[in-house]
Amino acid sequence: GLASAILLARRWSGVYSRIIKRNRVPFVDFETAFPKAPPQPQTVAGAFTYAKQQKLERLLEATPQKTFRGRVIPRLSTWRVKHGGRNDVGRICTRHRGGGTRQRLRFVDFKRGRKDVPATVLRIEYSPDRTSHVALVQYEDGVLSYILAPLTLRPGDTVVASETANVVPGNCLPLRSIPAGSIIHNIEL
């Protein structure tokens, strides 16, 4: 009765964490439990246009985006469940399907909930379930995470999710902070 109604109501509102309200992380330093220092204002106010992206790609032609040739981190991935043309009973419904190499699906952090914490790109990896590559990033406090990798992201770059971050590939900003005419990717509404 009442317990199931409370669980059902909480299931959708605080699915990620109790401290996150409506996908907005409080700007609190988790080590000291005090509010963080006021963020620095944006230094780049102009839009990141297609012309700027082409210039950046020409500068990076000498260092192409190479994918990592090692194993994926097990805690940040899971095996893909294959159905191979079978239905829920296990009978073949579509012929000539099945087999293939086992794939690991990467858990991509679309929320980018660690606000105002810079992260360093460790490597660029292939992701078998999407057309873009993913980047393994390590935050300053040591947390590892996968994000979608833009074309101009390279290992060693620093990315940040903040309301006052610069408009460069890899950074995460709310739509109100992005200038009109900028190239965007990985949008969440």
Side-chain angles (χ1 to χ4, degrees):
L2 183 62
S4 63
I6 292 173
L7 283 176
L8 187 64
R10 289 200 67 215
R11 189 166 131 196
W12 304 111
S13 60
V15 120
Y16 295 101
S17 171
R18 291 184 192 164
I19 61 170
I20 296 177
K21 300 293 183 200
R22 297 185 189 199
N23 299 334
R24 289 183 59 87
V25 179
F27 293 93
V28 174
D29 190 357
F30 291 109
E31 293 176 1
T32 61
F34 286 107
K36 291 183 181 178
Q40 298 181 3
Q42 282 181 329
T43 57
V44 179
F48 186 78
T49 59
Y50 185 64
K52 286 184 184 177
Q53 181 178 342
Q54 285 183 324
K55 289 176 186 173
L56 192 58
E57 285 176 357
R58 270 188 242 116
L59 285 172
L60 294 173
E61 280 179 355
T63 58
Q65 193 180 46
K66 294 180 182 172
T67 56
F68 178 69
R69 292 289 181 185
R71 291 190 179 269
V72 68
I73 297 176
R75 288 181 179 248
L76 295 178
S77 61
T78 184
W79 288 111
R80 181 176 192 165
V81 178
K82 293 190 174 183
H83 302 289
R86 273 98 173 141
N87 63 2
D88 57 341
V89 181
R91 293 191 178 140
I92 294 177
C93 294
T94 308
R95 298 186 304 162
H96 315 301
R97 293 235 179 145
T101 308
R102 290 187 73 191
Q103 297 177 339
R104 287 197 76 94
L105 304 182
R106 278 73 168 166
F107 300 137
V108 176
D109 180 19
F110 291 108
K111 295 283 182 194
R112 302 283 290 270
R114 306 184 75 77
K115 306 291 184 197
D116 296 321
V117 181
T120 306
V121 178
L122 299 180
R123 61 193 187 206
I124 307 293
E125 292 187 11
Y126 171 76
S127 184
D129 56 325
R130 55 181 51 90
T131 56
S132 68
H133 294 309
V134 293
L136 180 68
V137 297
Q138 183 175 21
Y139 291 95
E140 281 187 345
D141 48 6
V143 176
L144 293 173
S145 179
Y146 281 119
I147 63 169
L148 290 184
L151 289 175
T152 55
L153 201 65
R154 299 289 184 269
D157 291 351
T158 303
V159 296
V160 66
S162 173
E163 293 189 8
T164 59
N166 290 337
V167 184
V168 293
N171 284 354
C172 180
L173 294 93
L175 273 179
R176 65 176 174 273
S177 300
I178 300 175
S182 293
I183 296 176
I184 58 173
H185 81 287
N186 191 16
I187 187 168
E188 179 184 352
L189 297 176

